[in-house]
Amino acid sequence: MKKNNKKILWIAAALIFIVAAVVISVVYMNNAPYLEMNKKTEEYNVEQVDLSVKGDRIYFLNTGGADAILIESEGKFALVDAAEDSDNPRGFEELVYEGTEQYVVDTVKKIAGDKNGKVTLEFVLGTHSHSDHIGGMDTLILDKDVTVKAAYLKKYDENRINPYEIEHWDNKEVYEQMISACEERDVRLVQQMNEDKFYFGNFTMQFCNVYDPENDEPVGENDNAIGLLIEKDGMRAFLSADIDNKTGDEDRIAKQIGKINLLKVGHHGYDESSTENFINTLHPEIAVVTNNERWISKNPLNNLNNVGAYVFETGKYNGVVADFNSDEIVIFGNIDA
């Protein structure tokens, strides 16, 4: 009996070893594109940003899998999205988040505040009515030390939204909170954005709209997202919000945008965005993902890897800063130092 038990133990150990080896191999293969890309990115010496240096910059704040992006040029500031909030107006268990709204306000004040801590934002842009993008907007707009001159936010039409988002998310609530905050602070509200180029300091900017498909099928609010193209002296950056390709939006706007230097990766690096055609057409040299690296999907990483992009995650680098003050875009990190 003892010999048989010993034999069984050896067989069990061998099986465990084989299973472990297979699991490790699968995990490695699934992450191989990221590992290869990360090796390249590690060769890029990401220095700590000096916030006392002013100029032409885009600050991607470290707000987890959410967007809050501050733009600076010639002493002017604007904010694209304001990340997740802590509110849960409908009491949904799946919407219990630790919001970053106060972190966004405090960081905006640190970077854009004058000697008295007062901030003037030329505009804020809510790219679409999801809480991980505009959840913190009401807190920012209502802050007594923050003056917002204009707010851009497309109308939220619940008649076009799929039942799941209506029943399980708080799109309508965060939309109405931002509208209410604008009314309370007398902020000029713009809800139809044309695609004419406009100047912002040394930057030239252009809104990039996506459109509902021409049928009666309901969509997700990501299908209403709006992107922002930013240019200076031949350097081009595209902030792609949560634009995806479920209804062909990436295919439609890829040719319109063309080759860029920097991409704010769509939808935090999840599979619905950053399709092969989109990434190949834009062919970014630098990609910034507003997320923690462990949540980023394989397909977007594959596509970015295939065009040789450097990839920087806001979680890993504690915020990412794209500096346009020279003849090329330079990346810095560690906004919170």
Side-chain angles (χ1 to χ4, degrees):
M1 280 297 284
K2 290 183 178 179
K3 287 183 178 180
N4 287 338
N5 287 342
K6 191 172 184 181
K7 185 177 180 180
I8 290 170
L9 288 173
W10 275 107
I11 292 172
L15 288 172
I16 291 171
F17 177 81
I18 292 169
V19 170
V22 170
V23 170
I24 291 170
S25 297
V26 169
V27 170
Y28 181 85
M29 289 303 295
N30 283 339
N31 288 281
Y34 173 74
L35 295 172
E36 182 181 341
M37 192 176 335
N38 190 51
K39 183 177 180 182
K40 176 179 178 176
T41 304
E42 289 295 341
E43 295 170 356
Y44 192 110
N45 182 25
V46 180
E47 297 182 1
Q48 179 177 319
V49 65
D50 182 353
L51 295 180
S52 68
V53 174
K54 301 300 179 183
D56 303 320
R57 286 177 163 181
I58 304 175
Y59 301 84
F60 302 88
L61 275 56
N62 181 18
T63 51
D67 278 12
I69 304 166
L70 184 67
I71 304 169
E72 174 187 7
S73 185
E74 284 198 318
K76 295 181 177 181
F77 292 90
L79 186 71
V80 177
D81 290 331
E84 186 65 76
D85 63 351
S86 305
D87 295 339
N88 187 7
R90 298 168 72 180
F92 289 149
E93 197 171 312
E94 62 267 33
L95 295 184
V96 178
Y97 297 122
E98 183 178 347
T100 56
E101 59 266 60
Q102 195 57 51
Y103 163 77
V104 171
V105 172
D106 292 344
T107 305
V108 167
K109 288 181 179 180
K110 179 169 68 172
I111 297 171
D114 63 18
K115 62 182 180 180
N116 297 314
K118 305 291 185 180
V119 173
T120 297
L121 297 175
E122 302 300 315
F123 69 86
V124 296
L125 167 64
T127 59
H128 61 296
S129 295
H130 276 163
S131 64
D132 60 334
H133 288 259
I134 66 167
M137 276 295 187
D138 58 329
T139 300
L140 175 90
I141 293 168
L142 292 173
D143 190 284
K144 61 182 178 58
D145 293 325
V146 177
T147 299
V148 177
K149 292 185 178 180
Y152 293 90
L153 179 67
K154 290 169 72 172
K155 291 182 179 179
Y156 176 67
D157 183 4
E158 198 167 74
N159 294 320
R160 295 288 294 126
I161 300 301
N162 66 60
Y164 182 86
E165 289 194 17
I166 294 173
E167 294 168 9
H168 294 89
W169 295 358
D170 56 356
N171 302 0
K172 183 179 179 182
E173 285 77 13
V174 294
Y175 171 81
E176 291 176 346
Q177 286 172 342
M178 181 172 171
I179 297 293
S180 176
C182 289
E183 292 173 348
E184 184 172 333
R185 292 297 304 274
D186 199 25
V187 175
R188 181 170 67 91
L189 182 63
V190 181
Q191 298 204 269
Q192 279 191 316
M193 281 74 89
N194 63 45
E195 296 187 349
D196 296 336
K197 292 186 176 182
F198 61 97
Y199 295 105
F200 182 85
N202 292 318
F203 288 135
T204 301
M205 296 185 176
Q206 182 180 13
F207 294 124
C208 297
N209 287 290
V210 297
Y211 301 95
D212 286 350
E214 295 179 359
N215 57 47
D216 295 328
E217 291 295 320
V219 297
E221 178 61 7
N222 286 345
D223 290 280
N224 297 318
I226 186 165
L228 182 64
L229 182 63
I230 303 172
E231 302 179 82
K232 178 195 173 186
D233 297 337
M235 295 177 285
R236 309 178 80 235
F238 184 61
L239 310 183
S240 59
D242 278 5
I243 296 172
D244 59 36
N245 208 43
K246 286 183 176 180
T247 59
D249 288 325
E250 286 191 339
D251 289 341
R252 281 192 290 271
I253 66 172
K255 290 182 180 179
Q256 173 189 347
I257 298 166
K259 174 75 173 67
I260 61 173
N261 303 92
L262 183 147
L263 174 67
K264 198 293 291 187
V265 174
H267 202 197
H268 321 292
Y270 302 140
D271 267 334
E272 297 89 345
S273 299
S274 304
T275 52
E276 183 177 8
N277 175 63
F278 186 71
I279 297 300
N280 286 347
T281 303
L282 272 59
H283 211 284
E285 301 159 11
I286 297 168
V288 178
V289 188
T290 51
N291 210 336
N292 296 307
E293 61 186 12
R294 67 182 179 274
W295 301 117
I296 302 170
S297 301
K298 182 176 70 173
N299 286 335
L301 290 177
N302 266 327
N303 296 333
L304 290 165
N305 191 43
N306 288 338
V307 298
Y310 292 99
V311 179
F312 303 95
E313 307 94 348
T314 51
K316 179 176 181 179
Y317 293 94
N318 200 15
V320 173
V321 180
D323 187 291
F324 290 70
N325 288 321
S326 62
D327 58 356
E328 64 178 358
I329 298 173
V330 180
I331 296 297
F332 295 95
N334 208 10
I335 292 175
D336 296 333

